[in-house]
Amino acid sequence: MNTRTAIPTEIIAIGSELLTPYYQDTNSLYITQRLNDLGLSVQFKSIVGDSPKDLQSSIKNAFARARIIFATGGLGPTEDDQTREAFAEVLRKKLILNEAVLNKIEHRFQRRGYEMPSVNIKQAQVIQGAEILENEHGTAPGLWLETDGRTIILLPGPPHELKPMFEYFVWPRLQKYRTHHVERRVMKIVGLSESKIETLIHDLYPEDPSLQVTTLASPGQIEIHLTSHSLRSSEEAMTNLAALEKGLRSRLGENVFSSSGEELEAVVGKMLREKGKTLSVAESCTGGFLGHRITNIPGSSDYFIQGIQAYSNSAKNRLLQVDQGLLDRRGAVSAEVARVMAVNVKSISLASFGLAITGIAGPAGGSPEKPVGLVFTALSWTGGEEVARNLFLGNRQAVKFQSSQKALDMLRRHLLKLETG
Amino acid sequence: MNTRTAIPTEIIAIGSELLTPYYQDTNSLYITQRLNDLGLSVQFKSIVGDSPKDLQSSIKNAFARARIIFATGGLGPTEDDQTREAFAEVLRKKLILNEAVLNKIEHRFQRRGYEMPSVNIKQAQVIQGAEILENEHGTAPGLWLETDGRTIILLPGPPHELKPMFEYFVWPRLQKYRTHHVERRVMKIVGLSESKIETLIHDLYPEDPSLQVTTLASPGQIEIHLTSHSLRSSEEAMTNLAALEKGLRSRLGENVFSSSGEELEAVVGKMLREKGKTLSVAESCTGGFLGHRITNIPGSSDYFIQGIQAYSNSAKNRLLQVDQGLLDRRGAVSAEVARVMAVNVKSISLASFGLAITGIAGPAGGSPEKPVGLVFTALSWTGGEEVARNLFLGNRQAVKFQSSQKALDMLRRHLLKLETG
């Protein structure tokens, strides 16, 4: 849905560090997301250093193109911080020292037992006619200024100052520019390739421009971002979104593991908790990454018993009682070894489930019969087990991620089957 | 060193996806790094969608400010790809179909058994007077055009196409704009806070503007980026850099673990390999993350024997033979339990070293005596052991990282001592 024609909106990110190889402007992604929620889209972004000339040039150009202009950064106390001055200059407005703001800054220093350095005085200067946006997490207040048919919003650069200021003081003021009610959802999918998903759902892509479907693919996981706009109400946007999601789900089935932002390890953890089940893992090529993901979830100690990183053959033999003869005969990277690892880690730890991974993460160690990326994943439960042979593409990290993803997904699908009978 | 006055340089990143909340312009960081290597700095960056009007406006503004202009993206075959057309329009130059380029694109499709779709023809259009930059990894060639005292470089958006094109075809052509020879180094530091480092080295900050020192701090690791410029030669830049690094090292000592980009797990792995030593780990709150880091290094199977993620108390007792009485008396998060975990994982696995981590990663599980972030790390070697009590700040992930960092660093410092005495 092209909402550009609504109200042209631009973002200027200010700071010479943003012109180095080290820093990205991440604030604009956040602001863009929130503007999109109002039906506004960003038409142009500029990134400029602390030269007053360049800064003024970018402000003038933004004025020529846009009606809403965000500027982030350059509100600090140093000489390099020229945002207030540059806007005042371009707008031909005065900077006026605001006593209330000055008192607040002085107070902030006093609370910590310091006297305010004199350089900070300039942070209390307010462009004539601007409203002050309070900064609860720093000294520089933001400014909201409506002039010459433009709305200008100056925000501090540090994200932990910008975000709360945006939510508390900018968001309510932006409501008058709302053109749409927007609802979003992210469906996360495992076990299908991007092209397979395309085949399954392409005829469901909505012709209605108020509904958008964007697919983001990475090895081991696909996300489908759904956006629904309504001119009337958020209820309408939500209803249309729900209908679209229902249609997609009917095609993608249980390959969708989450539509509320949760990662796979959180979904599996929740299922284990609900069913009162426990899990142990045995890892070779992932070297602890599966356990790491499982324990990234707060409270995972309720269902995660233990993990064994049996990296060497001797460890597989000693810690997991994998028979040395089997290791010699089939090799550590084999379906049989994966199966025994899963069964034994379950029985050793008295867990409800055992998950095991053994494979070749690369870049070395591959052979024509057992190439880099060959990974066996196994699940053991009381009464049975399942082994999968996988051939993953990508570097060492990508193979580790896909391996852990496959193992978690085997458990998830097994737990789903328990549910449905 | 302000190199701006040398040759004003800008980057225009083109693509409507770069105006969504989902995509960052990462190409410009890469280009900036390489321009900095020549002594050129980037003065301005614009991010623009596929509207021809906005695109032309950004090109005109860049023309007014800059002498070297990079544009990335928008060279694809679709109607939305308007970069060539917009530059031709602003420059009042013709687009001419280049038969050699067209043949190459057709060939690329034929090799894969397809016929070239007719939309791809436009990718063979070349702005009058431009040199062609070959694309070894995609269909769209880049263009290099010198006109009106400006140099314009059009590059494809996908990083895997842009980077090789830049290195092979753009880098040699850029040499004539070289104003400086630049050398860089990154010193990585563990075990000192940012303010402590500041105290140790502040009097060494070079007054010579040809030397730059930039500190980037994150929990558990500090990086000091050194840059040396020379008008004369890269040898001179290197000599000055080496002298600066030597001075900093004399203050920071063995807290510097790398100055060639290597991560801590790589440095420790190398030391273990060189000394023919082996390692096993026992993890509680890190849940596998330490093992994951160690096994991220290709060839780590040469020195990493095994890891035990003893997440539950029963696992600590069963797998690591931590006495149940000790667990009851002191609690799982205690110096004594960390010590026993390290000693036992070493002896069980017959490794040269045992590393252990037990703590409270949060957000829940803390108490006044044992707050969130309290972590004990322990190292065991033949003949002794060492335990550290740490109180880490930050979220669950940050605590996990700092814990693994501290454990690896204890082993690194022990291995260093073996070397020097």
Side-chain angles (χ1 to χ4, degrees):
Chain A
M1 170 166 234
N2 194 336
T3 52
R4 162 174 306 150
T5 46
I7 306 176
T9 302
E10 294 202 16
I11 301 173
I12 306 174
I14 298 154
S16 50
E17 74 281 6
L18 299 173
L19 295 173
T20 69
Y22 309 124
Y23 293 98
Q24 282 280 23
D25 160 38
T26 55
N27 286 326
S28 71
L29 300 191
Y30 169 78
I31 294 172
T32 300
Q33 171 89 67
R34 296 300 271 147
L35 291 174
N36 290 174
D37 289 342
L38 295 168
L40 298 173
S41 60
V42 174
Q43 182 174 345
F44 206 93
K45 298 200 278 187
S46 313
I47 299 172
V48 59
D50 45 33
S51 133
K53 192 164 147 278
D54 291 342
L55 192 42
Q56 288 177 28
S57 142
S58 70
I59 295 168
K60 281 179 198 155
N61 291 329
F63 254 69
R65 286 179 302 233
R67 281 201 42 219
I68 300 177
I69 300 163
F70 283 86
T72 62
L75 299 180
T78 77
E79 268 186 54
D80 288 346
D81 294 299
Q82 292 291 333
T83 302
R84 272 176 299 260
E85 290 79 354
F87 272 91
E89 179 77 25
V90 172
L91 298 169
R92 300 173 186 281
K93 288 192 184 286
K94 285 195 186 126
L95 280 171
I96 298 163
L97 191 76
N98 184 302
E99 290 294 336
V101 173
L102 187 62
N103 285 341
K104 203 157 172 260
I105 298 175
E106 283 175 335
H107 222 79
R108 203 182 156 83
F109 278 97
Q110 279 162 12
R111 268 204 321 255
R112 302 181 178 189
Y114 298 107
E115 215 171 304
M116 186 188 80
S118 60
V119 290
N120 286 78
I121 293 175
K122 72 179 248 180
Q123 296 190 299
Q125 295 204 313
V126 171
I127 299 173
Q128 199 180 3
E131 293 174 63
I132 290 156
L133 308 171
E134 287 196 36
N135 190 340
E136 312 275 353
H137 300 87
T139 51
L143 296 177
W144 174 287
L145 176 61
E146 300 184 18
T147 184
D148 303 319
R150 307 286 187 282
T151 297
I152 295 153
I153 302 123
L154 308 189
L155 299 173
H160 75 279
E161 298 182 23
L162 179 142
K163 287 183 185 180
M165 186 184 291
F166 189 97
E167 294 302 325
Y168 290 119
F169 303 114
V170 178
W171 183 247
R173 285 176 168 86
L174 283 174
Q175 296 308 311
K176 64 181 173 185
Y177 303 116
R178 182 186 280 285
T179 60
H180 296 75
H181 298 269
V182 179
E183 297 291 335
R184 307 170 179 287
R185 197 152 301 170
V186 178
M187 299 170 75
K188 295 187 181 178
I189 295 157
V190 63
L192 292 177
S193 69
E194 192 179 8
S195 55
K196 179 71 189 173
I197 291 174
E198 181 70 18
T199 313
L200 286 170
I201 68 170
H202 71 99
D203 62 306
L204 294 182
Y205 283 137
E207 287 181 25
D208 178 352
S210 75
L211 287 167
Q212 291 169 331
V213 178
T214 307
T215 303
L216 299 183
S218 61
Q221 186 162 308
I222 312 262
E223 295 181 3
I224 303 183
H225 290 243
L226 309 181
T227 311
S228 170
H229 299 254
S230 163
L231 290 166
R232 275 179 289 277
S233 69
S234 60
E235 287 69 30
E236 186 182 67
M238 187 66 93
T239 305
N240 294 343
L241 187 70
L244 175 60
E245 189 192 346
K246 197 177 162 201
L248 294 172
R249 270 186 181 270
S250 75
R251 301 288 175 81
L252 299 170
E254 63 188 35
N255 300 296
V256 180
F257 66 84
S258 149
S259 57
S260 56
E262 282 179 319
E263 296 299 339
L264 186 54
E265 55 269 35
V267 170
V268 170
K270 206 167 167 184
M271 293 171 89
L272 288 169
R273 183 191 300 278
E274 281 169 7
K275 293 179 171 43
K277 303 286 189 185
T278 57
L279 171 64
S280 292
V281 304
E283 306 184 53
S284 181
C285 65
T286 45
F289 184 62
L290 176 59
H292 169 53
R293 286 186 65 184
I294 293 167
T295 61
N296 276 347
I297 306 305
S300 49
S301 50
D302 294 347
Y303 48 81
F304 184 58
I305 309 257
Q306 72 188 41
I308 290 176
Q309 302 149 23
Y311 213 59
S312 64
N313 274 0
S314 72
K316 288 185 185 72
N317 175 248
R318 209 170 42 240
L319 289 173
L320 290 166
Q321 287 127 38
V322 182
D323 183 59
Q324 190 60 51
L326 177 62
L327 285 166
D328 294 342
R329 243 178 7 256
R330 300 297 175 91
V333 180
S334 61
E336 293 84 334
V337 168
R339 195 186 64 78
V340 173
M341 286 169 68
V343 169
N344 289 3
V345 80
K346 173 185 181 302
S347 66
I348 292 166
S349 65
L350 309 173
S352 320
F353 297 103
L355 276 176
I357 299 172
T358 180
I360 302 159
S367 67
E369 306 81 50
K370 295 186 176 181
V372 167
L374 177 67
V375 176
F376 292 92
T377 46
L379 168 68
S380 161
W381 63 91
T382 307
E385 63 252 12
E386 186 193 345
V387 184
R389 182 184 190 278
N390 315 278
L391 197 54
F392 297 124
L393 297 177
N395 63 17
R396 193 170 173 91
Q397 287 280 2
V399 170
K400 281 176 121 179
F401 178 78
Q402 292 170 89
S403 303
S404 67
Q405 194 79 346
K406 175 68 185 189
L408 287 169
D409 193 40
M410 287 171 76
L411 177 53
R412 183 183 69 91
R413 287 175 198 261
H414 182 85
L415 289 165
L416 276 180
K417 256 186 279 170
L418 291 188
E419 252 167 28
T420 56
Chain B
M1 168 162 237
N2 194 335
T3 51
R4 162 172 308 150
T5 47
I7 306 175
T9 302
E10 294 202 15
I11 302 173
I12 306 173
I14 299 153
S16 49
E17 75 282 6
L18 298 173
L19 295 173
T20 69
Y22 309 123
Y23 293 98
Q24 283 280 22
D25 159 40
T26 55
N27 286 327
S28 71
L29 299 191
Y30 170 79
I31 294 172
T32 300
Q33 172 88 66
R34 296 300 271 148
L35 291 174
N36 289 175
D37 289 342
L38 295 168
L40 298 174
S41 60
V42 174
Q43 182 174 346
F44 205 95
K45 298 200 278 187
S46 313
I47 299 171
V48 60
D50 44 33
S51 132
K53 191 165 148 279
D54 292 342
L55 192 42
Q56 289 177 29
S57 143
S58 72
I59 295 167
K60 281 179 197 156
N61 291 330
F63 254 68
R65 286 180 303 233
R67 281 202 40 219
I68 301 178
I69 300 163
F70 282 87
T72 61
L75 299 179
T78 77
E79 267 185 55
D80 288 345
D81 295 299
Q82 292 290 334
T83 302
R84 272 177 298 261
E85 290 78 355
F87 272 92
E89 178 76 25
V90 172
L91 297 170
R92 300 172 185 281
K93 288 192 184 287
K94 285 192 187 133
L95 280 171
I96 299 163
L97 191 77
N98 184 303
E99 290 293 337
V101 173
L102 186 63
N103 285 342
K104 203 156 173 262
I105 298 175
E106 283 175 336
H107 222 78
R108 203 181 156 81
F109 278 97
Q110 280 162 13
R111 268 206 319 256
R112 302 181 179 189
Y114 298 107
E115 212 170 307
M116 186 188 79
S118 60
V119 290
N120 286 77
I121 292 175
K122 72 179 247 178
Q123 295 190 300
Q125 294 202 314
V126 171
I127 298 171
Q128 198 180 4
E131 294 174 62
I132 289 155
L133 309 171
E134 288 197 33
N135 190 342
E136 312 275 353
H137 300 86
T139 50
L143 296 177
W144 174 286
L145 175 62
E146 300 184 17
T147 183
D148 303 319
R150 307 286 187 283
T151 298
I152 295 152
I153 302 122
L154 308 190
L155 299 173
H160 75 278
E161 297 181 25
L162 180 142
K163 287 182 185 182
M165 186 184 291
F166 188 97
E167 293 303 324
Y168 290 119
F169 302 114
V170 178
W171 183 246
R173 285 177 167 85
L174 283 173
Q175 296 308 310
K176 63 181 174 185
Y177 302 117
R178 182 187 280 283
T179 61
H180 297 76
H181 298 268
V182 179
E183 297 291 335
R184 307 171 179 286
R185 197 151 303 169
V186 179
M187 299 169 76
K188 295 187 182 178
I189 295 157
V190 64
L192 291 177
S193 70
E194 191 179 8
S195 55
K196 178 73 187 170
I197 292 174
E198 181 70 17
T199 313
L200 287 170
I201 68 170
H202 71 100
D203 62 305
L204 294 183
Y205 284 136
E207 288 180 26
D208 179 353
S210 75
L211 287 167
Q212 292 168 330
V213 178
T214 306
T215 303
L216 300 184
S218 60
Q221 186 162 307
I222 312 263
E223 295 182 1
I224 303 183
H225 291 242
L226 309 180
T227 311
S228 171
H229 299 254
S230 164
L231 291 165
R232 276 178 290 276
S233 67
S234 61
E235 287 69 29
E236 187 182 65
M238 187 66 94
T239 305
N240 295 343
L241 186 72
L244 176 60
E245 189 191 348
K246 198 177 163 201
L248 294 172
R249 271 187 180 270
S250 75
R251 301 288 176 81
L252 299 171
E254 63 187 36
N255 300 297
V256 180
F257 67 82
S258 147
S259 58
S260 56
E262 281 179 321
E263 296 299 338
L264 186 53
E265 56 268 35
V267 170
V268 169
K270 207 167 167 184
M271 294 171 88
L272 287 170
R273 182 191 302 278
E274 280 169 8
K275 292 178 171 42
K277 302 286 188 184
T278 56
L279 172 64
S280 291
V281 304
E283 304 184 56
S284 182
C285 66
T286 44
F289 185 62
L290 177 59
H292 169 53
R293 286 186 65 184
I294 294 167
T295 60
N296 276 348
I297 306 305
S300 48
S301 51
D302 293 347
Y303 49 80
F304 184 59
I305 309 259
Q306 72 188 42
I308 291 177
Q309 303 148 24
Y311 212 59
S312 62
N313 275 359
S314 71
K316 288 184 185 74
N317 174 251
R318 207 170 43 239
L319 289 173
L320 289 166
Q321 288 128 37
V322 181
D323 181 58
Q324 189 60 48
L326 176 63
L327 286 166
D328 293 342
R329 245 178 6 256
R330 301 296 177 92
V333 179
S334 62
E336 294 83 335
V337 168
R339 195 186 64 79
V340 174
M341 284 170 68
V343 169
N344 289 2
V345 79
K346 173 186 181 300
S347 66
I348 293 167
S349 64
L350 309 173
S352 320
F353 297 103
L355 275 176
I357 299 173
T358 180
I360 301 159
S367 68
E369 306 80 51
K370 295 187 176 180
V372 167
L374 177 67
V375 176
F376 293 92
T377 45
L379 168 68
S380 163
W381 62 92
T382 307
E385 62 254 11
E386 186 193 345
V387 183
R389 181 185 189 279
N390 315 278
L391 197 53
F392 296 124
L393 296 176
N395 63 17
R396 194 172 172 90
Q397 286 280 1
V399 170
K400 281 176 122 179
F401 179 78
Q402 292 169 90
S403 302
S404 67
Q405 193 80 345
K406 174 69 185 187
L408 287 168
D409 193 40
M410 286 171 75
L411 177 53
R412 183 183 68 92
R413 286 173 198 262
H414 182 84
L415 289 165
L416 277 179
K417 258 186 281 174
L418 290 187
E419 253 167 27
T420 57

